[in-house]
Amino acid sequence: MGRPRTPLLDRTRIAATALQLVDEQGEFSVPQVARRLGAQTASVYHHVDGRDGIVELMRERVCAAIDSGTLDLRPWDTAMAMWARSYRAAFAVHPRVIPLLMTSPVRAPKVLEQYERAVGLLLGAGFPRDEVMNVIIALENLVLGSALDMAAPQAMWELADEAAAPQLASALTALSPRRADAAFELALQGCIAHFRTLLPAPASDPAPQP
């Protein structure tokens, strides 16, 4: 039997298959990836550095959907807000991969390149060096938490007896049908407003000489 024209295994197929498994069941294993691709487990290890290597391939695949061009926008606050929205949209498609990626160090070169650009943007805007990663991590916490919220049921609060919690019931009645989006935008604007306070105050003009 001749060799298949399309290889059963390559890094792209491995990443796509692992991500599909995570979307379906919230987890994956290397043998599962191999079985779904019709290959031997040992063959997968010829293409990736074990399970951690597959996790990084998934990270790279999901992050490829983030519009890194937003980091070229100016001013910095517009760029960071647009980047956060694109980041959230990319992960909202695969929310079940978030716990896997949050517990594994970032190594993928293409992903690190986005961080490099984000750091450069903030340093160029005048942020103190010791605050730059705090800003990025805080924004990521908001983005990834909101991406998970987008996968949650619209009705997250079920009241068996509205009379027992009348104020909550009233607030839920007024809740926007797009509650996840509204909450994200509220928190994003709050974050950006606080980030502005971390910038050094502009130097005042010298007093005119008499």
Side-chain angles (χ1 to χ4, degrees):
M1 182 181 295
R3 298 179 63 183
R5 292 184 179 182
T6 304
L8 292 175
L9 291 178
D10 59 40
R11 291 167 66 85
T12 299
R13 288 168 179 254
I14 290 170
T17 301
L19 190 55
Q20 184 181 52
L21 285 166
V22 173
D23 287 343
E24 293 171 0
Q25 60 192 31
E27 188 51 274
F28 80 99
S29 69
V30 179
Q32 284 179 321
V33 172
R35 282 196 299 273
R36 187 158 291 193
L37 288 169
Q40 296 296 316
T41 300
S43 299
V44 175
Y45 287 108
H46 291 311
H47 296 269
V48 295
D49 184 17
R51 189 178 188 278
D52 288 346
I54 296 177
V55 169
E56 279 308 284
L57 288 179
M58 288 192 292
R59 188 194 308 277
E60 194 169 80
R61 187 175 182 88
V62 175
C63 288
I66 302 173
D67 181 5
S68 60
T70 55
L71 295 171
D72 296 327
L73 299 174
R74 296 297 182 272
W76 69 269
D77 47 1
T78 296
M80 293 301 286
M82 294 298 291
W83 186 55
R85 293 184 184 109
S86 180
Y87 195 148
R88 174 178 177 254
F91 275 84
V93 179
H94 305 285
R96 301 185 80 178
V97 81
I98 293 173
L100 285 176
L101 301 187
M102 290 289 286
T103 55
S104 175
V106 181
R107 301 186 183 94
K110 291 182 180 179
V111 179
L112 291 171
E113 181 183 356
Q114 282 202 39
Y115 284 100
E116 175 73 8
R117 293 174 66 179
V119 168
L121 169 69
L122 295 174
L123 289 175
F127 279 85
R129 193 172 300 274
D130 61 351
E131 291 285 9
V132 166
M133 289 309 298
N134 290 335
V135 168
I136 292 174
I137 293 168
L139 197 64
E140 281 192 314
N141 288 344
L142 168 60
V143 164
L144 296 176
S146 183
L148 287 171
D149 186 35
M150 291 174 72
Q154 173 65 19
M156 281 298 295
W157 300 265
E158 295 184 356
L159 302 181
D161 180 9
E162 292 189 2
Q167 296 182 91
L168 175 58
S170 175
L172 290 175
T173 300
L175 189 62
S176 166
R178 297 177 60 83
R179 64 165 184 80
D181 293 337
F184 172 72
E185 288 297 329
L186 178 64
L188 177 60
Q189 295 310 314
C191 278
I192 295 293
H194 180 69
F195 295 159
R196 292 190 187 106
T197 70
L198 303 177
L199 288 167
S204 58
D205 295 332
Q209 295 296 321

